Amino acid sequence: MPTRIAVVDKDLCQPRKCSQECIRFCPVVRTGKRAIYFDEQLNRPVITDLCTACGICVRKCPFEAITIINLPSELDEDCVHQYGPSGFKLFRLPMLKQGKVIGVLGQNALGKTTIANILAGSLIPNLCTGGSGKDDVVRRFRGTELQTYFTRLYSNQLRVIHKTQYIELIPMAVKGKVRDVLMKVGGDESKVLDVAGKLNLTHLLDRDVSVLSGGELQRLAIAAAMLRSGDVYIFDEPTTHLDITERLRVAKAISELASGGRYIVVIDHDLAVLDYLADLVVILYGKPGAYGVVSSVRGAKEGINEYLKGYLTNENMMIRREAITFKATPPPREVRRERVMVEWDRLTKGLGDFKLIAQPGQLMRGEVVGVLGPNGIGKTTFARLLVGELQPDEGVVMPYGQVRISYKPQYIRDIAVKYPDLTVNALISKVAGPDYREKPHWPDLANSLLLNPIMDKGLGELSGGELQRVMIAAALLKDAELYVLDEPMVYLDIEQRIRTARVIARLAEERESTVLFIEHDITMLDYVSTTVMVFEGEPGRLGIANPPTGLRDGMNTFFKAQDITFRRDARNGRPRINKRGSVMDRVQREVGEYYYYMPEKEE
C-alpha cells in the first residue's frame, strides 16, 4: 500500500484571503469530524488521517497550497522530520564521510536548509512522530555512519561551522573593518592573512563591511567560517555572487578543509563547481513545499550525470521527463548587416578610479550573448551604457530604429525597499502591461519560476529568491527587442535556471529579439548562449569589453586569460573543470583548446 502525504504549505496558504472552500467542500464526515479542519494555533488548515485523497481540497484552494501525493510505503520508515500536522516532510539524510566533501544537489524547497540545520544540531529531527529526542535520533540511524555522527554531535564532541546562504544580512549584524572582523574570529594574524590570501581578500582588509559587494560579503563569510576551528563545515550556497575564478579559489580552499578527517557538506546550484569540488553527491527529489527525499550517495560525476539525465538508477526514480544536454560543438557566428540591432563605436566611461573601454561591436537579432568576465571589470557598467542609464564619455551607441529595451538589473532589493506594499501582480502589470497573462511566455514563466502562489504578496514580503524570480518574469514579459539580464540566475535552483534558460532561448528565436546574458554560472551560460562577449583588464581599475564573437573563440580567449581548462562530458556534453596539472589539462593547453574539448575517455 502506498503512503499518502497530504501537505498544506504554510508559506503558500493564505486562509484569511479566501473562503476556505477546502474545508467546506470536504466530503469525508466520520464520527462528526471532517478530514480537513482549521487549526487556529497554526493559522492554516490541517489534513487528518481521515483523508481519502479525493483531491477536492486541492482543486478548491486558490493558492495551490494543498498537495496530496502517494509514495511507496517503504519510505514511511525513512521519514526524518515533519513541520507540524500535514506539513513538509523530509525523508532520509545524506550519509556523511570523514575526509570527503559531500555535495547536495536539488531544487529549492525540498529540504536542503532543513538538512543543514539537522546536521548542524540546531534542529533536532522529530522523526515525523512529534516527540523524538536525541537518543531516538541516534537509535534511528543505528548501524550507519550517521549513528556515530549524531552520537558525537549530541555529546558535544563535534564543533559545527555553518556558513548560511543569507550573506546580505552580514552588514546588519557585523560592524567594522574586514581585518577586525576576521581577527575577532581567527585571533591569529598570520592565520587571518593566510586565509585572506587564499580567498583574495587581502586588498579588502581595511575596507568597512558596510560597503562590501555581494561577492566580497560571500568571501568574507567563507573566510570567517574557515578561520573557526571545527570538525564539521556546512557551506550553504558558497558560490553566489562570485565569478568563475573566485569560485575555483573558494572550491580549492574548501577542499583543503576535508583533510584531517573533517566532515564537509556543500549545498550549491553551480554544477561545474560542485563537480570540481565534491567527492560524492546526494540528489534531492520530490515535490517542492510538500516533501523531499535524499538519494543514496554516489560519485560526483555519476550523480550529476544522473541528475541531468532525469533518472536515478539506484532509486529507480524518474525526476524529470527530459534529459538536459549541452552543445559539444558550438555554432559559428555569422555577422549579417541586415540583422544588426545595436552597434557601438569605441566607448569609454570613467567612474571614480575605474575606467571602461568598449571596443566597437554589434548585437544581432536572435542572439543570446553571454557576457563573461570577473567581478569589478565593467560588465554592469557596459549594460547601463547600452540601455541609456549612463552616458559614455566618448563614443556613441547606435540603435537601428527605435529599439525597445527591457533591463533586469543586478541588484534588485532596492525596488522592494522603495515599494514594499506593491504586489507582484501590480509590479509585473506596471512593467509588462496589464495583459501580461495573455502573452505566450507567461505559462512557462509562471510554472518555471513558481509565480502563481506569490502574485498577491507585497514586494517587501518576498525573499531574495522570490524577488529575483519576479524581476526576471517582469523583464522577459515586457515587449522589447533587446533584453539585458544582469546575473539573473542568482538564488534560482537548477531546475528554475534550466527552465528560465529555455524561455530565454525561445524568446530570442521566436521574436528575433536579442538577449544580453550577464552570468557567472558557466554551465548556464554555456547552455543558453549563441555568442559570447569577453571582458578583460584589471578588476576595479580598467575593464576592456571585447566585441561579441563566436563561442569557441570567445571561451578560449577568456579561459586562457583565467588559466583554466574545461573538458566536455562524453555523455551529455556538459562542461567539466580540469584539475590543474592533470593529463587532460596539459593536453588541452598544448593544443590551445581551453573549453570545447571532448575526450575519448574520462580521466
Side-chain angles (χ1 to χ4, degrees):
M1 290 291 291
T3 296
R4 183 178 64 252
I5 294 182
V7 176
V8 181
D9 191 313
K10 62 182 178 61
D11 294 323
L12 301 183
C13 182
Q14 302 179 57
R16 305 308 182 194
K17 292 184 179 181
C18 70
S19 58
Q20 297 184 35
E21 291 184 343
C22 57
I23 296 174
R24 292 197 301 113
F25 282 88
C26 177
V28 179
V29 180
R30 297 178 186 172
T31 64
K33 295 183 179 180
R34 292 187 181 274
I36 181 171
Y37 68 94
F38 190 83
D39 189 303
E40 294 290 345
Q41 186 174 359
L42 295 174
N43 192 34
R44 61 175 168 84
V46 168
I47 301 175
T48 72
D49 291 337
L50 297 176
C51 176
T52 61
C54 68
I56 290 177
C57 61
V58 177
R59 294 191 294 272
K60 292 294 181 181
C61 178
F63 304 110
E64 300 181 13
I66 302 177
T67 305
I68 298 176
I69 302 165
N70 289 326
L71 292 177
S73 56
E74 57 265 23
L75 272 181
D76 217 16
E77 61 186 29
D78 293 332
C79 190
V80 172
H81 190 73
Q82 182 176 15
Y83 287 98
S86 63
F88 176 85
K89 282 187 176 183
L90 174 68
F91 295 88
R92 303 177 185 150
L93 288 173
M95 289 295 169
L96 305 187
K97 297 184 182 295
Q98 288 182 279
K100 300 291 184 181
V101 178
I102 306 294
V104 180
L105 176 63
Q107 289 180 260
N108 289 333
L110 286 181
K112 293 193 292 293
T113 300
T114 300
I115 290 170
N117 290 334
I118 290 173
L119 295 178
S122 57
L123 173 65
I124 307 300
N126 57 28
L127 307 180
C128 302
T129 62
S132 64
K134 295 179 179 179
D135 292 339
D136 299 310
V137 175
V138 172
R139 281 194 296 271
R140 163 62 69 87
F141 295 102
R142 177 170 63 243
T144 71
E145 190 146 353
L146 283 176
Q147 180 186 22
T148 304
Y149 178 85
F150 283 117
T151 300
R152 297 178 62 193
L153 179 67
Y154 294 151
S155 59
N156 297 318
Q157 296 177 33
L158 292 178
R159 187 183 184 199
V160 181
I161 311 301
H162 184 189
K163 200 293 291 181
T164 67
Q165 66 185 100
Y166 303 111
I167 58 169
E168 63 272 13
L169 302 179
I170 292 176
M172 300 168 60
V174 178
K175 306 296 180 183
K177 296 187 181 299
V178 171
R179 184 191 302 274
D180 297 333
V181 172
L182 294 181
M183 283 295 296
K184 186 176 181 180
V185 175
D188 182 78
E189 185 173 6
S190 62
K191 190 176 179 181
V192 168
L193 292 176
D194 179 57
V195 171
K198 290 179 179 179
L199 298 177
N200 194 29
L201 283 170
T202 305
H203 65 291
L204 300 175
L205 289 175
D206 295 320
R207 190 171 296 180
D208 197 272
V209 172
S210 62
V211 300
L212 296 182
S213 67
E216 291 164 348
L217 286 172
Q218 183 71 270
R219 284 179 282 150
L220 173 62
I222 295 169
M226 292 176 59
L227 284 169
R228 299 171 65 190
S229 179
D231 307 290
V232 184
Y233 290 85
I234 301 173
F235 293 93
D236 199 342
E237 298 191 22
T239 66
T240 303
H241 299 299
L242 301 182
D243 63 42
I244 182 61
T245 306
E246 291 168 342
R247 292 182 185 205
L248 290 186
R249 190 179 286 117
V250 165
K252 291 175 183 176
I254 292 175
S255 294
E256 292 176 3
L257 286 175
S259 61
R262 296 184 180 92
Y263 295 98
I264 308 289
V265 178
V266 177
I267 302 168
D268 208 86
H269 299 301
D270 187 324
L271 295 181
V273 173
L274 200 63
D275 181 32
Y276 179 81
L277 168 63
D279 299 298
L280 303 164
V281 300
V282 297
I283 297 167
L284 271 174
Y285 61 94
K287 183 175 178 59
Y291 75 99
V293 183
V294 179
S295 77
S296 60
V297 176
R298 57 256 283 158
K301 173 194 167 185
E302 292 75 13
I304 292 174
N305 280 348
E306 285 191 13
Y307 183 84
L308 292 174
K309 185 178 180 181
Y311 176 72
L312 307 184
T313 305
N314 291 350
E315 287 75 15
N316 190 26
M317 175 66 63
M318 180 175 287
I319 61 173
R320 193 187 319 100
R321 292 178 180 270
E322 299 178 4
I324 299 169
T325 57
F326 296 81
K327 303 181 288 284
T329 303
R333 186 183 192 236
E334 297 181 11
V335 178
R336 296 163 56 185
R337 294 299 305 176
E338 69 273 13
R339 296 187 65 82
V340 173
M341 177 186 293
V342 177
E343 190 168 14
W344 59 92
D345 57 8
R346 187 178 184 273
L347 304 177
T348 66
K349 181 64 181 179
L351 294 172
D353 295 331
F354 176 77
K355 183 177 182 179
L356 172 68
I357 301 174
Q359 304 294 357
Q362 64 276 124
L363 302 177
M364 293 189 297
R365 296 182 182 277
E367 285 188 319
V368 179
V369 183
V371 180
L372 275 169
N375 285 328
I377 205 70
K379 300 185 300 295
T380 299
T381 301
F382 177 78
R384 294 176 68 193
L385 288 172
L386 211 59
V387 302
E389 277 196 8
L390 293 176
Q391 295 302 315
D393 298 331
E394 299 176 23
V396 63
V397 178
M398 298 168 286
Y400 283 72
Q402 189 63 36
V403 175
R404 292 165 295 160
I405 297 173
S406 179
Y407 178 42
K408 201 293 291 181
Q410 177 182 7
Y411 298 110
I412 56 178
R413 180 51 66 183
D414 289 349
I415 191 170
V417 173
K418 190 174 182 180
Y419 304 107
D421 298 324
L422 188 69
T423 66
V424 171
N425 179 55
L427 173 70
I428 299 179
S429 296
K430 183 178 180 180
V431 174
D435 62 341
Y436 69 86
R437 292 178 184 268
E438 304 302 319
K439 297 182 179 181
H441 296 294
W442 166 249
D444 279 349
L445 286 169
N447 293 329
S448 301
L449 300 177
L450 305 177
L451 296 176
N452 287 323
I454 61 174
M455 294 303 292
D456 294 324
K457 281 189 176 183
L459 300 184
E461 302 177 65
L462 302 181
S463 66
E466 290 171 334
L467 186 59
Q468 181 77 286
R469 282 149 37 197
V470 170
M471 296 300 289
I472 292 170
L476 293 180
L477 287 166
K478 183 177 178 179
D479 288 326
E481 295 166 284
L482 174 61
Y483 295 85
V484 180
L485 307 177
D486 199 343
E487 295 195 32
M489 299 302 185
V490 173
Y491 301 121
L492 302 189
D493 65 40
I494 297 170
E495 297 293 329
Q496 291 168 353
R497 294 181 186 196
I498 290 290
R499 292 169 186 163
T500 302
R502 287 174 174 168
V503 172
I504 290 170
R506 283 199 301 272
L507 182 145
E509 181 180 358
E510 294 172 6
R511 295 188 189 175
E512 290 199 324
S513 299
T514 303
V515 181
L516 201 67
F517 186 75
I518 305 172
E519 184 55 50
H520 293 305
D521 185 337
I522 295 299
T523 305
M524 289 299 100
L525 194 141
D526 176 274
Y527 185 77
V528 73
S529 300
T530 59
T531 305
V532 70
M533 187 173 179
V534 176
F535 281 65
E536 300 175 296
E538 185 181 351
R541 295 184 63 85
L542 174 66
I544 300 174
N546 293 303
T549 186
L551 287 168
R552 186 181 294 276
D553 290 340
M555 291 294 197
N556 274 332
T557 297
F558 177 72
F559 287 111
K560 185 175 182 178
Q562 303 302 314
D563 201 27
I564 303 168
T565 63
F566 283 72
R567 67 190 182 279
R568 316 296 288 192
D569 189 270
R571 290 176 58 183
N572 49 42
R574 69 180 171 93
R576 304 187 66 200
I577 305 169
N578 289 321
K579 301 287 185 183
R580 176 73 177 177
S582 66
V583 173
M584 201 64 64
D585 179 68
R586 297 196 304 270
V587 168
Q588 291 183 225
R589 291 176 189 274
E590 288 176 8
V591 300
E593 191 68 83
Y594 281 73
Y595 192 71
Y596 286 102
Y597 187 87
M598 182 78 77
E600 294 182 3
K601 62 179 181 179
E602 291 286 340
E603 287 186 293

